[in-house]
Amino acid sequence: MPSGVHALVRRTHEERVLRALQENGAMSRGEIARIVGLSRTTLSEITGSLLQRGAIVVVDTASRREGSGRPAERLALDPASAQFMGVDFGHRRVHVVVADASHEIMASGATRYDDTTPWQERTALALTLVERLTAEAGVHYGALQGIGIGVPGPYPAPEGRPWPRTTPSGTVLRPAPEGVDVAFAERFDAPVIVDNNTRLAALAEAISGAESVADLVYVRLSDGVGGGLVVGGQLVTGSSGLAGELGHVTVDPAGRPCRCGKRGCLETVASVPAILAACWEFGLPLKDLRDLADAAARAHPVADRVLREAAGALGRVVGAATMTLNPAKVVIGGEITQLAPVIVEQVAATLGADLFPTASAAPVVEAARLSDDDGAIGALAAVFHNSPLLARYPETADVKAGAGAGESTIEGAAHVRP
Amino acid sequence: MPSGVHALVRRTHEERVLRALQENGAMSRGEIARIVGLSRTTLSEITGSLLQRGAIVVVDTASRREGSGRPAERLALDPASAQFMGVDFGHRRVHVVVADASHEIMASGATRYDDTTPWQERTALALTLVERLTAEAGVHYGALQGIGIGVPGPYPAPEGRPWPRTTPSGTVLRPAPEGVDVAFAERFDAPVIVDNNTRLAALAEAISGAESVADLVYVRLSDGVGGGLVVGGQLVTGSSGLAGELGHVTVDPAGRPCRCGKRGCLETVASVPAILAACWEFGLPLKDLRDLADAAARAHPVADRVLREAAGALGRVVGAATMTLNPAKVVIGGEITQLAPVIVEQVAATLGADLFPTASAAPVVEAARLSDDDGAIGALAAVFHNSPLLARYPETADVKAGAGAGESTIEGAAHVRP
């Protein structure tokens, strides 16, 4: 068998051993082998590797002897062993969260940096932050099952796009280098998933409600307009890392030039700078998002009209995406969405008109539950879902129900900081 | 562990045993256990079940003895044992294909029926056809790993849609009853996947090229306009079975009424009846698709203009779907696409204008490779890809390369009837 399948089978076995120990407490190798259905040889390899990495510990030696003449050691999970790590590189800070085998968050922290800080230095700061968590919270990383890393911008950076780019507010956006994954993979000897952090936010939203949804369209309005898709429980990347770029769907072929080179993209009418500019144009000079929130709260006619037009364009784009993907939920993120509830209202109304009139299949439209600062939760969610037995999380509804583990669920982590 | 995960683990083990026998030929239980890394107990349960179902046979008893005093039996795949079945229920006929463990097609056949035939009778006709294949080709079904069934219309039929529906050409479309899956599952004791056959065609197209693609948008122009999406190697269903219904994206809010209840859906300008009606309107009375093909071949100005306008609308809808999903390939199906190459040309041109101008991420746009009659291949493809170790087929590129099995690849089946 080729290495890809080999590694998958190996990780599946490891995860089943860890799960058996989580559910049953300390056990001898013989007991584990029987529960998991593996041969003694295969099981010994796996426990050997888990012991060496510090995921499990020998807790005692059972008095009763099994089979051979040697007393049987009993093995158990190491409670200080972090199993999953989520890292979110923002423009100006990195967040790290680590979770245990039951998906509970064990420790978290953040380090700020300047938005011109090069990637190599950001990576070093993040690794230092992880070490600090070791000292402060007493966790160790010998058995990490996976690391999720969120970065701004498409990842890997598609060829042919102009990098670095300047956002409308003047931030210089540099693509994350391929090296960010290698640095973490080498340091922790664990598989690493890197993805755009807006896309990871989509995954976090999909599992953050009372019931997780398998199909979700997420759009975030900020300096630009970004988005992410969850389809069948999986985060969608697309063939070249551009899936979910709803901000650059054309809404008016004769509209304003967009930084992407086209005209009349959704971003030219629905980003925060575009909305503020339109208000100025109609005689309402607003400085920033706070001013806009005040004007919206007073139902100022110009602010109301501009917001409704922006949200109408967004609704048409989301409507086409909804006809395409038939999601259960549409989530609109970005601070502006919290400040101006008219956006979600108008998106829902516009989108409704684009659906099958007779279908009861209209998605729920709502404002994001998690803040823009919650990218590390999304990164963590990504590694949970890439865990072999948990892949395609609708099936984990069974795991949750069956295990009866209360807070020790896949939603556990996402609920920590809603 | 809950039954869902149990069943998955069990099927994964079964499949690894079958694969080991496929790669290595006849082996004793001890040899299989060592290769697959399972305990003797677990392995015995699995071979017992496979023997009982007729997937494997005892070929001989090795002269050399292993461990215990009993001579070791050697087990092998039964070459007459069908492993996968694809069934395609069209409006007027059902197609069945069956494939072996190496994904080679072992037998296929079709039975015609009237388009008013009720589902119960269609199901009975299909099961009779399967029996006929048994007699004619000598295959048996004791070890089917999965059955894929394609049906017209959304499945399961979403609530609130008007069923039965009449298509523009007068065919009465009835939703497939839930019972179609139960009938096959009970008859063959195998997992069944039922899906819309346009959607299954999308999956078949995704694996039918020289290189399979993981992300594909498929649209079929016929009496209506249907579609299907493959995302990350998986067929997309959506939250209520409506994903890929690109025919009902609004292209002109002031346009003609659509049978779905909205106005100006893509289907009202790009379905075959809509294209023929538009030609009449502009003074070119065409009877059917053949007439249209002749007119297109002569580059008749009315036919050319109508086709370009229809394809332009299609291109804008596909363009928005492409910005959303970033597919590697867009495939346009339906007989009309073969007869009027201008459609694919115009879609590619329109779609190109909607993409990031600087990105090298434009999808390939092409006419369907498989005919509308090839739904059973799509149904077969669906079960191959739901096979636990083969799920998410980009990984199977490794399996193929690693196994060096030549024609015994996942594409094998799809290449049989291109």
Side-chain angles (χ1 to χ4, degrees), chain A residues 200-220:
Chain A
L200 294 175
L203 185 58
E205 291 291 339
I207 62 167
S208 74
E211 283 189 22
S212 64
V213 297
D215 297 278
L216 176 136
V217 170
Y218 176 77
V219 189
R220 181 186 286 172

Side-chain angles (χ1 to χ4, degrees), chain A residues 37-39 42 159-160 229 231 236 239-244 246 248 250 260 262 323-324 326-328 354-358 360-361, chain B residues 37-39 42 159-160 229 231 236 239-244 246 248 250 260 262 323-324 326-328 354-358 360-361:
Chain A
L38 293 173
S39 70
T42 306
E159 285 171 49
L229 311 171
V231 171
V236 178
S239 65
S240 57
L242 290 173
L246 295 173
H248 298 279
T250 307
C260 79
K262 293 199 298 169
M323 288 304 294
T324 305
N326 185 212
D354 212 23
L355 305 180
F356 284 117
T358 53
S360 57
Chain B
L38 293 173
S39 70
T42 306
E159 284 172 51
L229 312 171
V231 171
V236 178
S239 65
S240 56
L242 291 172
L246 295 173
H248 298 279
T250 307
C260 79
K262 293 199 297 168
M323 287 304 294
T324 306
N326 185 212
D354 212 23
L355 305 181
F356 284 116
T358 51
S360 56

Side-chain angles (χ1 to χ4, degrees), chain B residues 5 68 88 106 124 163 169 172 181 196 199 287 304 322 330 337 356 358 368 387 390 413:
Chain B
V5 172
S68 83
D88 176 35
M106 305 166 75
W163 288 102
S169 69
V172 176
D181 55 350
N196 167 263
R199 207 178 274 154
K287 240 185 9 273
D304 193 65
T322 295
V330 170
T337 312
F356 284 116
T358 51
S387 194
L390 295 177

Side-chain angles (χ1 to χ4, degrees), chain B residues 160-180:
Chain B
R161 291 192 86 195
W163 288 102
R165 299 185 310 171
T166 306
T167 66
S169 69
T171 301
V172 176
L173 191 62
R174 288 171 200 287
E178 302 294 321
V180 74

Side-chain angles (χ1 to χ4, degrees), chain B residues 202-215:
Chain B
L203 185 59
E205 292 291 339
I207 62 168
S208 74
E211 283 189 22
S212 65
V213 296
D215 297 278

Side-chain angles (χ1 to χ4, degrees), chain B residues 143-166:
Chain B
L144 274 184
Q145 293 184 54
I147 302 169
I149 300 180
V151 297
Y155 185 91
E159 284 172 51
R161 291 192 86 195
W163 288 102
R165 299 185 310 171
T166 306

Side-chain angles (χ1 to χ4, degrees), chain B residues 279-343:
Chain B
C279 288
W280 272 82
E281 205 174 298
F282 292 108
L284 179 65
L286 301 175
K287 240 185 9 273
D288 57 19
L289 211 47
R290 295 288 142 188
D291 283 1
L292 180 63
D294 289 347
R298 285 180 288 117
H300 189 289
V302 168
D304 193 65
R305 174 182 155 188
V306 167
L307 285 168
R308 282 190 191 275
E309 280 182 7
L314 175 57
R316 287 191 296 280
V317 170
V318 170
T322 295
M323 287 304 294
T324 306
L325 290 167
N326 185 212
K329 198 184 265 192
V330 170
V331 175
I332 317 292
E335 205 183 343
I336 192 172
T337 312
Q338 302 293 339
L339 299 175
V342 66
I343 292 177

